[in-house]
Amino acid sequence: MTYSILDIANFIHAAHGNLRDNDIEFLLIDSRKLIYPEKSLFFALHSNRKDGHEFINELYEKGVRSFVVQKQYSIKITGANFLIVEDVLAALQQLAAHHRENFKQSDTLASIPVIGITGSNGKTIVKEWLYQLLRADEHIVRSPRSYNSQIGVALSIWQMNQTHSLAIFEAGISTKNEMNALRNMIRPTIGVFTGIGHAHSEGFENRFEKLEEKVKLFRFTEHTVFAINELTLDEQELIQLQFPKAFTWSRKSTASLQILSEEWLGATTSINAVIAGREEKIVIPFADPISIDNAITCWCVLKLLGYSSEIICERMKILEPVEMRMQLKMGINNCYLINDSYSNDLSSLSLALSYLKQQAGGQKTTLILSDILQAGISDQELYQQVALEMAQQKLQRFIGIGAHISAFKLFFLALAIPCDFYDSTDSFLQESTHHLFQNEYILLKGARVFEFERISKWLEKQQHQTVMEINLTAMLHNLKSYQQKLKPATKVMAMVKAFSYGSGTVEVARLLEFHKVDYLAVAYADEGIVLRKAGIRLPIMVMSPDEASFDSLLEYHLEPELFSNNIFHSFEQYIQKQGITNFPVHIKFNTGMNRLGFEVTEANAIALNIQKSHNFLVKSAFSHLAASESEEMDSFTLEQARLFNRACDDLTNVLGYSFIKHLSNTAAIFRKPELQYDMVRLGIGLYGVDTANEKELALQTVASLKSTVAQIRTVQENETIGYNRKGKLNRLSKIATVRIGYADGFNRKLGNGRVSIFVKGKLAPVIGNVCMDMTMIDITDIPDVLEGDQVEIFGNNLSIQQLAEWSETIPYEIMTGISQRVKRVYLEE
């Protein structure tokens, strides 16, 4: 749907001057995701760290002509529409609410049922499963991925149009007084509550308060579904009082759908329940408790919608797993592979293409796309829109798989990019060869029936089964957690040295650049060269330059840290020979670390030298805190700061210009906010490790090291395990051999019971010496372990801090010690 800019101004009660004609079809809140400039309305949202008003000039240059701005914004551009409001976020929500109003019952339009889902966990899974269960009968619009925030809900609702017959939206909150705004936009006709848990509890006094806030979503909703299985009696009483007609389910309390029994049959579960006095059964292709609960909630919704027991039973059997994350993997021939099997529709395609563009930087991009099924619009209109989306995203190569997409190949051939079409996945695999894929980023987007996992496996670089998963969404969460502790003007330098602490330099740098950190830091010029060749444009500080790297510093626009008279004068002579002036450098002072850096007493002489020659322009001065994570060393930390201030004052007095000052490392960011200066250096905290161990930030785990069980054997009492017969058994034991060894970075000293590995919900001690490629663990007390099962060396279940403590080392050493032969898999939720 489109609206005139004048209509939108009236909807959001905006002040404005003369408005030029502009029909708006797309809402934009992120300048990096601009696709349709002439039809987009930019909302200049403001946060603690970023102000959308700063990107207006950039967007105007790219063709955007309509903006929603705050009253205080000084308008300097002519020839554009500016809608002036008190609160930009409130205006976005008002527009979404007005758009939602169009789909209520009227003389000209039929009402579209809207399912609103909230709860602590399971919202996205329930939404996606309802989509699977109902899509045969309805044309459904739903929240993309986990768009359930104050902004995400507004953007989700904006997708609604007259072709839809059902809408499903999530609503997520993190503190009090947030749900009313979401309810006013969603206005659900059917409410679904998935349960209450610990997620986002920090924003509430207690669990009951959180429940009260969440159920505000359903205040004007006639039909509701509640999972009350884990609710206390007080919580159940609240539900009963506010929603006496609610359709409920429980295993314990009396409910509309009362669970009688659950029987696990391998990978499936048979669930028996009583509904309105009648016993009914469903079978689902899952056996884990979370999936079972989510399936029961969906069962309730289908009963509420009037579906027969037979149809429910039939559809529940074919529920498909929901992949919550896009995976970025190394592929053949220096390719990268993004496998997005989460969903296959227009909105998710747009998100996936944006992610492809973000990850690829300036490198070649390829889309492999199957038929899009049950889109609710004609194939002609559908594939016209797909081709337009590809054109806007400047895709460089396209492969279509399926009879429907192939029938409209002319739309794609008109893009003047290489295109190939295949009737099926089988024909693609039979006719394609590996040499056709070289040095490119490939996005796989396929409906389940096309089995694109076969293409993924064919394109993946073959490596052994030990992998390190890097959760980029968790990394972004950690970045924002630290940014919230900063003063608004404080910059962030992200440390990506040592292969980004083992996590993968280019992939991490792309994420950080996309989310606008200010600086990157690497240890050596070689690391900076890799980033430049990958298209990273952020300024990069090289912390350990040497004479051999001087040419590279100039060629790749890298900024050296100067820490001694020797490196200072060597680089100065080199710069003079090149005839260069004002080359950007960073001056490091030693204030107590006693590792690298000029002495504080040398600051005046350094500044005089720089002022005299004009060879260097000081971009920053910094020092390194020795013990910022330790309260016992706080007096020493403050003494370091005093010395640093003295050095900076000497530099400033002589140079006569300002430069960036930075002292704080990860721990000091929140332990010593007074030491933030102009910039902070964020290192291990970005990867989810709290070195101060204060648990103030609720950091998320970024890196998980996983492997698989290669073989299981029963070994008799008094037998031994491994080299040198170090693992002695004092009972009949079951031993599993795991595909990880010291060549992967699992240190040899970790054997003989010193550490354990997480398998099937329990810890299994390492027995015997760690081998080069294999490690043995004792699983005697852990039932049901099978060959091929996944194990976790560190991650969400077994923290890297715990492994480091067992190993008598620090998380830094473990992360940076993971071998390059271990495949890195990048996940984005």
Side-chain angles (χ1 to χ4, degrees):
M1 291 182 67
T2 60
Y3 295 93
S4 73
I5 192 67
L6 180 59
D7 283 342
I8 290 177
N10 292 331
F11 299 157
I12 64 177
H13 310 294
H16 56 83
N18 292 328
L19 296 176
R20 62 195 296 272
D21 288 342
N22 196 184
D23 287 335
I24 299 300
E25 190 173 347
F26 303 97
L27 305 185
L28 182 68
I29 62 166
D30 188 334
S31 62
R32 299 161 298 188
K33 297 182 178 180
L34 176 65
I35 299 176
Y36 306 99
E38 67 282 355
K39 296 181 179 180
S40 293
L41 173 62
F42 178 68
F43 284 77
L45 296 170
H46 184 277
S47 69
N48 292 333
R49 297 292 305 168
K50 297 294 180 185
D51 184 351
H53 298 85
E54 296 173 0
F55 303 98
I56 288 175
N57 288 341
E58 171 192 333
L59 287 166
Y60 182 83
E61 292 297 321
K62 293 179 178 178
V64 178
R65 291 296 180 266
S66 295
F67 304 89
V68 178
V69 298
Q70 269 187 310
K71 195 173 183 180
Q72 298 81 359
Y73 178 67
S74 176
I75 299 172
K76 298 177 181 178
I77 293 175
T78 59
N81 298 320
F82 286 91
L83 307 186
I84 303 165
V85 297
E86 292 286 345
D87 185 326
V88 176
L89 175 59
L92 173 64
Q93 293 174 337
Q94 286 170 0
L95 180 56
H98 180 89
H99 184 64
R100 164 70 180 91
E101 190 76 15
N102 286 332
F103 303 97
K104 294 174 67 176
Q105 186 71 45
S106 69
D107 294 336
T108 57
L109 289 172
S111 175
I112 295 179
V114 174
I115 299 176
I117 305 173
T118 193
S120 296
N121 301 294
K123 296 184 291 294
T124 301
I125 298 293
V126 168
K127 176 198 70 186
E128 290 301 318
W129 277 355
L130 287 175
Y131 173 75
Q132 291 180 23
L133 293 163
L134 298 172
R135 64 188 174 189
D137 310 309
E138 309 283 355
H139 181 209
I140 301 172
V141 59
R142 67 197 193 282
S143 307
R145 296 192 173 270
S146 297
Y147 273 39
N148 57 31
S149 66
Q150 300 290 317
I151 297 170
V153 166
L155 298 179
S156 299
I157 289 169
W158 187 256
Q159 297 179 108
M160 295 178 75
N161 63 51
Q162 295 96 327
T163 69
H164 297 124
S165 59
L166 176 67
I168 310 176
F169 299 128
E170 297 178 46
I173 56 169
S174 56
T175 189
K176 292 185 291 186
N177 303 318
E178 287 188 339
M179 189 58 87
N180 284 341
L182 301 184
R183 182 193 64 232
N184 292 340
M185 288 187 284
I186 298 173
R187 273 168 280 177
T189 58
I190 299 169
V192 178
F193 178 75
T194 61
I196 198 82
H198 298 295
H200 303 298
S201 294
E202 61 272 14
F204 302 93
E205 298 251 343
N206 51 52
R207 188 171 128 139
F208 192 83
E209 183 179 73
K210 181 164 66 170
L211 176 64
E212 285 184 308
E213 181 69 21
K214 285 185 177 292
V215 299
K216 287 178 183 177
L217 178 64
F218 312 134
R219 181 161 293 169
F220 307 113
T221 303
E222 184 177 354
H223 304 290
T224 52
V225 169
F226 280 91
I228 63 170
N229 187 64
E230 298 299 329
L231 298 187
T232 66
L233 292 176
D234 286 344
E235 291 165 348
Q236 290 184 43
E237 185 177 345
L238 170 70
I239 301 304
Q240 190 173 15
L241 286 172
Q242 292 194 21
F243 308 96
K245 297 181 180 179
F247 194 106
T248 59
W249 78 262
S250 178
R251 297 180 179 89
K252 307 168 186 176
S253 310
T254 302
S256 311
L257 190 152
Q258 184 78 46
I259 302 298
L260 296 178
S261 65
E262 294 156 273
E263 183 180 357
W264 292 270
L265 308 167
T268 67
T269 306
S270 174
I271 309 169
N272 291 278
V274 171
I275 307 170
R278 177 185 170 191
E279 191 169 328
E280 299 188 21
K281 182 177 83 169
I282 62 170
V283 177
I284 61 171
F286 302 94
D288 63 286
I290 294 173
S291 295
I292 293 169
D293 285 359
N294 290 332
I296 294 171
T297 299
C298 292
W299 188 4
C300 293
V301 175
L302 265 63
K303 293 301 292 186
L304 190 63
L305 291 172
Y307 278 81
S308 70
S309 301
E310 293 73 24
I311 290 178
I312 294 173
C313 192
E314 176 186 331
R315 294 185 183 180
M316 284 287 183
K317 288 179 182 177
I318 55 174
L319 277 177
E320 299 170 349
V322 175
E323 179 54 64
M324 299 289 287
R325 306 174 292 191
M326 282 187 278
Q327 296 183 336
L328 175 65
K329 298 180 180 181
M330 280 294 297
I332 57 171
N333 303 329
N334 201 32
C335 292
Y336 281 88
L337 187 64
I338 299 173
N339 186 10
D340 183 15
S341 57
Y342 182 83
S343 55
N344 191 34
D345 54 38
L346 277 172
S347 60
S348 68
L349 176 62
S350 179
L351 288 171
L353 285 172
S354 294
Y355 181 64
L356 173 68
K357 186 176 179 181
Q358 170 194 330
Q359 286 299 321
Q363 291 189 252
K364 179 181 176 183
T365 54
T366 295
L367 169 64
I368 304 178
L369 178 69
S370 79
D371 288 346
I372 298 176
L373 307 177
Q374 298 172 320
I377 56 178
S378 71
D379 279 356
Q380 179 172 337
E381 183 181 355
L382 170 66
Y383 294 116
Q384 275 183 322
Q385 289 187 36
V386 171
L388 180 60
E389 185 79 29
M390 288 166 49
Q392 295 290 340
Q393 296 280 9
K394 296 181 172 59
L395 201 74
Q396 292 160 293
R397 182 185 180 198
F398 178 64
I399 296 171
I401 298 179
H404 293 272
I405 201 167
S406 298
F408 292 92
K409 64 175 66 176
L410 290 179
F411 293 147
F412 303 99
L413 293 171
L415 300 176
I417 61 174
C419 295
D420 294 288
F421 296 88
Y422 302 88
D423 288 337
S424 65
T425 300
D426 283 336
S427 62
F428 168 80
L429 292 171
Q430 289 166 8
E431 298 173 36
S432 295
T433 58
H434 279 162
H435 80 272
L436 295 174
F437 298 90
Q438 305 272 347
N439 304 306
E440 58 196 290
Y441 278 71
I442 305 164
L443 171 63
L444 292 180
K445 202 85 172 78
R448 292 280 183 183
V449 295
F450 284 87
E451 299 178 325
F452 267 26
E453 61 271 16
R454 294 164 58 201
I455 299 178
S456 178
K457 186 175 181 180
W458 183 73
L459 287 171
E460 277 182 41
K461 186 176 181 179
Q462 296 305 307
Q463 293 169 301
H464 75 120
Q465 295 182 44
T466 298
V467 300
M468 188 149 83
E469 293 181 352
I470 310 300
N471 189 324
L472 297 177
T473 303
M475 181 176 288
L476 179 59
H477 165 87
N478 296 339
L479 172 64
K480 290 182 176 179
S481 295
Y482 280 101
Q483 286 178 329
Q484 288 171 0
K485 296 292 182 181
L486 300 180
K487 299 162 190 171
T490 303
K491 301 177 185 295
V492 174
M493 174 182 279
M495 312 304 288
V496 293
K497 59 182 181 175
F499 196 53
S500 287
Y501 295 74
S503 298
T505 305
V506 171
E507 295 77 16
V508 169
R510 284 211 174 100
L511 175 81
L512 298 172
E513 182 173 54
F514 188 76
H515 290 283
K516 298 189 180 297
V517 301
D518 303 283
Y519 252 96
L520 299 177
V522 297
Y524 298 103
D526 288 349
E527 296 172 314
I529 292 169
V530 170
L531 294 178
R532 288 290 185 243
K533 287 184 175 179
I536 300 300
R537 297 183 181 87
L538 281 175
I540 300 172
M541 182 176 78
V542 178
M543 304 185 75
S544 300
D546 55 29
E547 292 189 35
S549 68
F550 288 171
D551 286 339
S552 297
L553 296 176
L554 266 65
E555 182 180 355
Y556 292 98
H557 305 288
L558 306 174
E559 302 174 8
E561 166 193 318
L562 302 182
F563 52 81
S564 70
N565 283 302
N566 180 47
I567 195 70
F568 183 99
H569 292 304
S570 295
F571 193 54
E572 183 180 44
Q573 291 170 13
Y574 173 83
I575 288 294
Q576 286 172 347
K577 288 179 181 178
Q578 308 303 315
I580 294 173
T581 59
N582 292 322
F583 192 86
V585 297
H586 302 261
I587 306 298
K588 183 173 186 178
F589 290 102
N590 173 38
T591 58
M593 184 77 170
N594 293 316
R595 185 175 61 179
L596 293 176
F598 291 102
E599 299 305 326
V600 170
T601 53
E602 298 179 278
N604 194 69
I606 295 165
L608 287 170
N609 201 329
I610 293 171
Q611 184 192 47
K612 179 180 177 181
S613 69
H614 299 291
N615 294 126
F616 299 144
L617 176 69
V618 177
K619 293 296 292 291
S620 85
F622 70 105
S623 187
H624 202 117
L625 295 175
S628 61
E629 67 276 1
S630 173
E631 185 177 356
E632 297 173 355
M633 297 292 175
D634 278 352
S635 60
F636 186 81
T637 297
L638 295 176
E639 174 61 14
Q640 284 193 270
R642 187 189 69 79
L643 293 171
F644 178 63
N645 289 336
R646 177 181 155 191
C648 289
D649 288 345
D650 286 351
L651 274 184
T652 304
N653 291 337
V654 175
L655 293 176
Y657 60 80
S658 60
F659 46 82
I660 298 170
K661 304 175 184 69
H662 50 111
L663 181 64
S664 289
N665 53 9
T666 295
I669 289 173
F670 62 89
R671 287 207 67 249
K672 293 294 176 186
E674 70 273 20
L675 303 183
Q676 290 179 6
Y677 294 95
D678 306 309
M679 185 161 69
V680 297
R681 299 189 302 277
L682 180 56
I684 196 75
L686 192 61
Y687 305 90
V689 178
D690 178 4
T691 54
N693 201 32
E694 296 191 358
K695 298 182 174 61
E696 184 178 332
L697 293 176
L699 299 179
Q700 294 181 3
T701 299
V702 170
S704 299
L705 182 61
K706 298 178 180 180
S707 190
T708 57
V709 174
Q711 188 176 20
I712 296 173
R713 61 167 26 90
T714 299
V715 184
Q716 300 298 315
E717 183 180 2
N718 298 322
E719 288 279 350
T720 60
I721 306 297
Y723 285 118
N724 305 119
R725 306 193 70 196
K726 290 291 187 180
K728 293 182 171 60
L729 300 178
N730 55 17
R731 60 174 178 170
L732 180 69
S733 302
K734 186 179 287 188
I735 306 299
T737 301
V738 176
R739 293 180 173 95
I740 191 169
Y742 56 78
D744 301 300
F746 193 64
N747 199 296
R748 191 170 183 273
K749 69 182 181 182
L750 302 183
N752 300 302
R754 187 166 185 174
V755 304
S756 296
I757 287 175
F758 187 85
V759 55
K760 289 285 186 179
K762 295 185 179 180
L763 293 176
V766 173
I767 185 165
N769 285 331
V770 174
C771 308
M772 180 183 289
D773 308 301
M774 297 287 172
T775 296
M776 286 69 74
I777 57 176
D778 188 342
I779 58 169
T780 308
D781 300 321
I782 306 177
D784 303 324
V785 180
L786 302 173
E787 292 179 0
D789 279 352
Q790 190 173 75
V791 304
E792 180 180 284
I793 291 83
F794 62 76
N796 287 310
N797 300 295
L798 177 57
S799 73
I800 193 170
Q801 292 95 320
Q802 179 62 72
L803 184 61
E805 183 180 329
W806 286 338
S807 309
E808 296 181 356
T809 185
I810 56 176
Y812 298 79
E813 182 179 1
I814 291 176
M815 286 188 66
T816 57
I818 303 304
S819 166
Q820 292 300 297
R821 82 172 186 177
V822 174
K823 178 168 61 175
R824 270 66 173 178
V825 176
Y826 299 90
L827 310 174
E828 180 145 333
E829 296 178 358

